[in-house]
Amino acid sequence: MNSILKFFSVCIILSLLSCKEEVDDLDPQCETGCTIINGSLMTDNGDAPISDAKLTLKWDNIPYMGGGTVRRKAIGYTDSNGHFSLKFSTKNDELENGSFYLTHELGPEYYVIPNERIHLNGISRDTVLQCDYMVYRKAFINLKLLHFDEMHSGGGDHFMTDFTYDTPSGFRQSSGGMVMSWNQESPTENLVDVPGNKTLYLKIFKRKNNITTIAHDTLYVNAGQTLDYIIDFNN
């Protein structure tokens, strides 16, 4: 009986924590005490604009795995040059707690992380902020793994790839790389999403028979294209 009560108590607590309320709190005609965010959404290292992209400014006070409130503060679109401007008013509790961030709605041709957010700091009244953000068009690397069935993970063998890329000057971006581990059960061919039209720095970490080696390579894949790349565990 006690176990059943504990189970239902945990369910109730988790349900309360997971409650999230999302509401509109838009004030596009804000005239006094306004905050303005000017910025741009660009691709190809800043050489090409992303036009007609929807941007939503939100505030929330939701802790990790907790319930709370999400307020949509402003909605706008980028122009033909990738520029945008959002004006909004702030409530006292928003300046004391929680966080502001932008979300964007882009097509599948762009390289974005799931639930990508552009976090904003320094929000206050009567303030103008600049936010220039980089989103790359997607490319692909087909990693072909040879002789990985000969790995002995239980014996200490290990293999890892680390793709990194630079952030262009004056811009922010969601990520600067990705690390992936591979083992004897990994598929022979693996299609990996990467930023296109961007120099990628690849570090290959291998531990075999208690001997560690690190190799480096530089890659470049045109947006929308696929590069085949072979990695042999025995070489």
Side-chain angles (χ1 to χ4, degrees):
M1 183 67 176
N2 287 337
S3 297
I4 296 175
L5 289 175
K6 288 180 181 179
F7 173 77
F8 280 108
S9 297
V10 171
C11 290
I12 292 172
I13 292 172
L14 290 175
S15 296
L16 291 174
L17 287 174
S18 63
C19 289
K20 180 176 74 173
E21 179 186 19
E22 187 157 337
V23 298
D24 284 329
D25 187 28
L26 307 175
D27 184 16
Q29 305 304 320
C30 176
E31 296 182 355
T32 59
C34 308
T35 303
I36 298 175
I37 300 176
N38 295 324
S40 62
L41 200 60
M42 306 293 286
T43 191
D44 293 345
N45 287 304
D47 294 331
I50 300 177
S51 61
D52 201 32
K54 183 179 180 180
L55 294 162
T56 303
L57 173 68
K58 297 182 179 182
W59 170 91
D60 76 40
N61 62 349
I62 300 176
Y64 178 69
M65 292 185 65
T69 301
V70 179
R71 295 175 186 156
R72 287 181 289 269
K73 303 295 296 181
I75 297 174
Y77 293 82
T78 56
D79 62 17
S80 59
N81 296 313
H83 298 155
F84 66 89
S85 183
L86 300 172
K87 182 169 69 171
F88 61 100
S89 59
T90 55
K91 291 181 166 59
N92 290 334
D93 64 332
E94 296 169 349
L95 298 176
E96 297 169 356
N97 298 290
S99 61
F100 289 90
Y101 55 90
L102 288 167
T103 62
H104 52 64
E105 297 182 17
L106 299 174
E109 69 272 22
Y110 289 99
Y111 177 81
V112 296
I113 62 175
N115 303 313
E116 183 166 294
R117 296 180 176 186
I118 306 172
H119 289 278
L120 302 168
N121 299 315
I123 299 292
S124 61
R125 296 187 176 109
D126 291 317
T127 302
V128 178
L129 300 178
Q130 185 71 26
C131 179
D132 296 305
Y133 200 73
M134 182 65 57
V135 180
Y136 299 99
R137 291 189 288 160
K138 190 184 296 183
F140 308 91
I141 293 179
N142 183 27
L143 282 179
K144 296 185 177 183
L145 307 180
L146 303 182
H147 301 115
F148 274 67
D149 56 338
E150 300 178 19
M151 283 185 65
H152 299 286
S153 298
D157 287 356
H158 184 66
F159 199 95
M160 183 175 66
T161 55
D162 181 9
F163 289 95
T164 60
Y165 47 95
D166 297 331
T167 303
S169 178
F171 286 90
R172 298 168 57 190
Q173 61 189 31
S174 62
S175 173
M178 53 188 166
V179 178
M180 293 170 285
S181 294
W182 310 94
N183 57 43
Q184 63 268 29
E185 297 180 359
S186 298
T188 302
E189 297 197 13
N190 304 268
L191 192 63
V192 179
D193 297 352
V194 296
N197 299 342
K198 181 71 176 176
T199 300
L200 306 173
Y201 304 100
L202 172 61
K203 180 188 293 185
I204 301 173
F205 174 94
K206 180 174 72 173
R207 184 167 64 238
K208 180 181 179 182
N209 298 328
N210 293 321
I211 298 175
T212 299
T213 58
I214 299 176
H216 299 267
D217 204 350
T218 302
L219 309 176
Y220 188 96
V221 191
N222 292 325
Q225 301 298 307
T226 300
L227 172 70
D228 288 330
Y229 194 88
I230 297 175
I231 298 177
D232 192 334
F233 184 68
N234 287 337
N235 292 331

